[in-house]
Amino acid sequence: MTKRHSSKGYRRQNPKTSSRPPKRNSRTATFTLMSATGEAITTITANALQSKEFPPLRYAVDGYLAEGVTLLAGKPKIGKSWMALDFAMAVATGDLALGSVRCRQGPVLYCALEDNHRRLKRRMSQLYGDIEHWPPGLQVRRLGDGLVDDVRDWIEVHRPKLVIIDTFAGVRPQSRREGYDADYAALSPLQEMAGQMGVAILVIHHLRKMQGDDPFDMISGTTGLTGAVDAAFVLHRGQQGVTLYGRGREIEEMEQAVEFVGGMWKVLGDADEVRRSGERSAILEVLEGADEPMGPKEIADALGWKANNVKQLLFKMHKDGELKKHGRGRYCAADET
């Protein structure tokens, strides 16, 4: 049998005499991971993280605006700036926001990029004209081209609880990037700064014209905007009134019915409960104006609702004692004879 010769340059080594690389002790070895940019990735062990202590999260507006960047989006003229101004004044004075929400008092920077001083004074006079001295802790200013540096300098001097940028379009940087990358890069520097300096930053933005099943899909731009922020709110007017939708890393997901009266936003309660209460009131109003008991279809026709939905709600209202039943499937208000 012919022996096969090894290829040129290859020399068979004796495992007993050949030098080998030293064995690595897997218990003590350390490995440095590199990111795509060539920078070392900082890691922490699970048990080190378990023993690490963090200061409690700081809120400017309890349950709504925590340290980090929050996006508030809504259609034009719905009242986003009124809500932002309410947050600003409530934090600056330590008063209540949205009619009932507790705030932590501290300096506030309001960057009004679409309103001049005349318009701001008119709005504040409408809201707080009876206050002898408006809070000096609330400062209004415009921003230069260096958005992040300008805000950072102000934060280092005044140590505010809240910074409001109204609106995002007024400070959005020009970029060659497009789509998700451009949107994410536009807000991520603010988000990083807010986390480093422990301040709540509220950015006002718009909704697109197109409707969506998820209210957050209506935010103008790509998901890069919501991906870069810590929380997002959508102020949306539907057939049953205005709802404030909230979603974020440090807040409870919410759908709250809100009402705008005299320049002031007020939280009415959980949207489902408020709407349900409104539907019951509408049914009672129809029955109280009727000359005789009515059936589900008659009530549905009077309200322009679906008969099946009315039938289910009538059953619940009768069970709760709000309605009396006459004959087969006919109802009147409980206080009627």
Side-chain angles (χ1 to χ4, degrees):
M1 181 180 292
T2 304
K3 292 183 180 180
R4 293 185 178 180
H5 296 281
S6 59
S7 61
K8 185 177 181 180
Y10 177 83
R11 299 171 63 183
R12 186 176 181 86
Q13 296 179 344
N14 186 336
K16 293 183 179 181
T17 60
S18 301
S19 61
R20 296 182 179 180
K23 291 184 177 180
R24 182 181 293 272
N25 188 333
S26 60
R27 295 180 179 272
T28 60
T30 57
F31 300 89
T32 302
L33 299 177
M34 305 299 290
S35 68
T37 60
E39 297 178 354
I41 299 175
T42 304
T43 61
I44 185 173
T45 63
N47 63 337
L49 182 61
Q50 182 182 18
S51 60
K52 194 169 184 177
E53 295 184 0
F54 298 92
L57 192 70
R58 288 171 287 190
Y59 281 86
V61 180
D62 284 357
Y64 290 80
L65 303 181
E67 56 185 84
V69 174
T70 298
L71 195 69
L72 171 61
K75 292 287 183 66
K77 310 303 181 184
I78 196 173
K80 303 182 297 295
S81 294
W82 287 99
M83 183 173 286
L85 185 58
D86 180 41
F87 284 141
M89 288 291 287
V91 172
T93 59
D95 205 346
L96 299 177
L98 302 177
S100 59
V101 183
R102 182 169 172 252
C103 298
R104 308 300 174 91
Q105 186 175 10
V108 178
L109 173 62
Y110 191 112
C111 303
L113 306 179
E114 293 188 344
D115 294 327
N116 54 35
H117 288 178
R118 180 188 297 275
R119 188 177 299 120
L120 276 173
K121 182 178 179 180
R122 184 173 67 246
R123 288 184 174 182
M124 293 175 68
S125 296
Q126 181 176 343
L127 294 177
Y128 306 102
D130 57 340
I131 297 178
E132 184 176 356
H133 298 291
W134 291 349
L138 172 56
Q139 296 192 31
V140 180
R141 65 174 297 182
R142 298 189 69 82
L143 294 173
D145 294 333
L147 165 64
V148 176
D149 292 337
D150 204 8
V151 173
R152 183 187 295 274
D153 291 343
W154 196 91
I155 292 173
E156 289 178 346
V157 174
H158 298 277
R159 296 297 173 183
K161 291 286 185 183
L162 177 63
V163 173
I164 298 174
I165 298 175
D166 185 5
T167 64
F168 174 54
V171 295
R172 185 168 193 161
Q174 297 295 324
S175 173
R176 294 182 179 179
R177 300 180 183 180
E178 296 181 357
Y180 182 98
D181 290 341
D183 286 342
Y184 191 92
L187 281 177
S188 56
L190 273 179
Q191 194 274 340
E192 182 179 355
M193 180 185 67
Q196 291 173 348
M197 309 194 78
V199 64
I201 298 179
L202 177 65
V203 179
I204 309 302
H205 192 41
H206 298 295
L207 295 180
R208 58 167 59 100
K209 294 181 179 179
M210 183 179 62
Q211 298 292 323
D213 295 334
D214 187 336
F216 296 92
D217 290 340
M218 296 189 293
I219 295 176
S220 181
T222 70
T223 55
L225 292 180
T226 52
V229 301
D230 298 282
F233 286 93
V234 171
L235 194 59
H236 179 61
R237 187 185 306 277
Q239 294 182 348
Q240 295 182 313
V242 182
T243 302
L244 180 65
Y245 299 90
R247 183 182 297 168
R249 301 184 182 109
E250 305 294 349
I251 65 170
E252 295 289 336
E253 187 163 349
M254 65 180 73
E255 293 184 19
Q256 295 184 331
V258 292
E259 185 179 29
F260 187 61
V261 180
M264 293 284 290
W265 282 104
K266 292 186 177 180
V267 174
L268 303 178
D270 179 78
D272 287 340
E273 294 180 3
V274 171
R275 307 303 181 222
R276 191 180 302 118
S277 176
E279 291 171 353
R280 293 190 180 207
S281 297
I283 289 176
L284 287 172
E285 186 176 347
V286 169
L287 291 175
E288 288 169 355
D291 296 330
E292 58 184 12
M294 300 175 66
K297 188 176 185 310
E298 296 171 295
I299 298 172
D301 290 343
L303 294 171
W305 297 354
K306 293 182 179 179
N308 190 50
N309 293 345
V310 172
K311 185 176 181 180
Q312 294 178 20
L313 189 52
L314 289 172
F315 175 80
K316 295 177 182 177
M317 292 176 69
H318 177 257
K319 185 178 180 180
D320 293 340
E322 295 179 271
L323 301 179
K324 287 182 180 179
K325 197 170 184 180
H326 285 258
R328 187 174 180 179
R330 301 185 70 80
Y331 298 86
C332 69
D335 54 357
E336 295 182 5
T337 57

